Amino acid sequence: MPVKKKVVKKGAAAPPPEPEPEPEPEPEVVEEPPEEESSEEEEEEEPLSEEEEGSKKTKFDLLHEFVQVTYDFLNQYDAIVENRNQHRSLFIKNLNPMRENLVFILHQYIMNQLPRDDYLCLHIKCCGEELLNNEEFDLHYVEEHRKANRGIVLPEIQTIAAYRKWLRKYKVRGRVVNNDLLFVLRRLLRKTNTVLAGA
C-alpha cells in the first residue's frame, strides 16, 4: 500500500490568530453629594453592636459593670446639668429619652414598688410653658428650638448620650438586678424628673 505524504506549500500563511478581546472600560465612580449632617439625633436609635451588647459577658459581669457606670454617672450628674439653663431645650431633648429608659428598666424589675408611670404623663417644662408630655415637647422642640440648637456640641450632652447607650444595652442584655442597682436608678430618675420639671 502506497504511503501518502502531506505536502505543505511554502509561503502558505498560518491561520490568523484570534483577536484579543478589548478590555472593558472601568465603570466611572459617581460620587454622591454628601448628605447634610444634622446635629439632631434620630428618634430611632441604631441597634447595638455585638460589642455594645456585651454578648461575651455573663449576666452578673454586666450587672456589676452597669452598677459601677451608673454610680459614676450619678456622681457627675449635678455637674453635668449645672449649666442646663443656657441650653435648656437641648438638655431636655437628651434627658427625656434617658428617663424613659430608666423607667422601662425599673418597671421590668420592681413594677409593684414603683408608682405606675405613664409615658404620656405631663413632666416636661420648657420656655415657661405648662408641663408638657413627650409628644407635646417633641412638637414644641421642632417648632421652637431645633434650628437654634443645630450644631451645638456640648461635652455634657455627649456624657448623657454615652450613659444612654449603657441603658439601652441593659434593656437588651440585662437579666438580673440587685439592691444597689435599684437604689441608684431610682435616685437618678428622681434627679432627672426634677430637671425635666424645670427645677
Side-chain angles (χ1 to χ4, degrees):
M1 204 189 238
V3 178
K4 292 184 179 177
K5 288 185 179 178
K6 215 176 195 182
V7 179
V8 178
K9 294 183 184 177
K10 285 187 180 178
E18 292 183 22
E20 291 184 19
E22 293 183 23
E24 293 181 18
E26 292 183 18
E28 291 182 24
V29 178
V30 178
E31 291 186 25
E32 295 179 12
E35 294 179 11
E36 288 185 26
E37 290 186 19
S38 169
S39 64
E40 291 303 308
E41 291 185 13
E42 295 296 323
E43 290 303 315
E44 292 182 24
E45 300 185 49
E46 55 192 52
L48 296 170
S49 68
E50 252 184 58
E51 185 180 324
E52 287 175 329
E53 284 185 13
S55 55
K56 295 185 180 179
K57 295 180 182 169
T58 69
K59 59 187 176 182
F60 296 106
D61 291 338
L62 186 61
L63 170 66
H64 176 71
E65 200 172 344
F66 184 51
V67 168
Q68 189 59 52
V69 168
T70 303
Y71 267 113
D72 292 345
F73 184 75
L74 182 65
N75 290 335
Q76 299 173 44
Y77 190 81
D78 290 334
I80 290 170
V81 298
E82 184 177 13
N83 296 320
R84 64 186 175 271
N85 291 331
Q86 293 174 353
H87 300 286
R88 179 159 176 72
S89 60
L90 192 59
F91 274 89
I92 294 173
K93 180 71 175 165
N94 286 276
L95 285 173
N96 196 40
M98 187 187 91
R99 175 191 177 275
E100 290 181 15
N101 287 329
L102 284 168
V103 170
F104 181 89
I105 292 171
L106 285 168
H107 275 171
Q108 261 185 318
Y109 297 105
I110 57 171
M111 192 174 284
N112 296 331
Q113 299 173 31
L114 187 73
R116 194 75 189 142
D117 190 83
D118 181 2
Y119 282 100
L120 296 177
C121 72
L122 304 176
H123 64 273
I124 303 170
K125 188 169 187 178
C126 186
C127 297
E129 301 275 335
E130 291 182 16
L131 290 177
L132 306 169
N133 65 31
N134 291 352
E135 292 173 357
E136 291 167 346
F137 173 73
D138 288 341
L139 184 61
H140 169 76
Y141 184 85
V142 168
E143 290 174 354
E144 303 292 331
H145 301 293
R146 185 157 61 184
K147 276 188 184 176
N149 289 340
R150 188 169 287 147
I152 296 175
V153 178
L154 299 173
E156 294 92 341
I157 299 300
Q158 292 170 345
T159 305
I160 293 168
Y163 184 66
R164 273 175 49 200
K165 267 191 178 178
W166 263 100
L167 287 168
R168 285 176 47 228
K169 182 197 295 192
Y170 211 75
K171 272 174 68 173
V172 173
R173 299 278 304 157
R175 298 289 177 266
V176 292
V177 293
N178 61 15
N179 287 336
D180 280 348
L181 180 61
L182 296 178
F183 171 75
V184 75
L185 288 178
R186 282 176 165 171
R187 283 192 61 200
L188 192 53
L189 179 62
R190 277 195 302 270
K191 284 178 173 268
T192 303
N193 284 341
T194 302
V195 171
L196 291 171

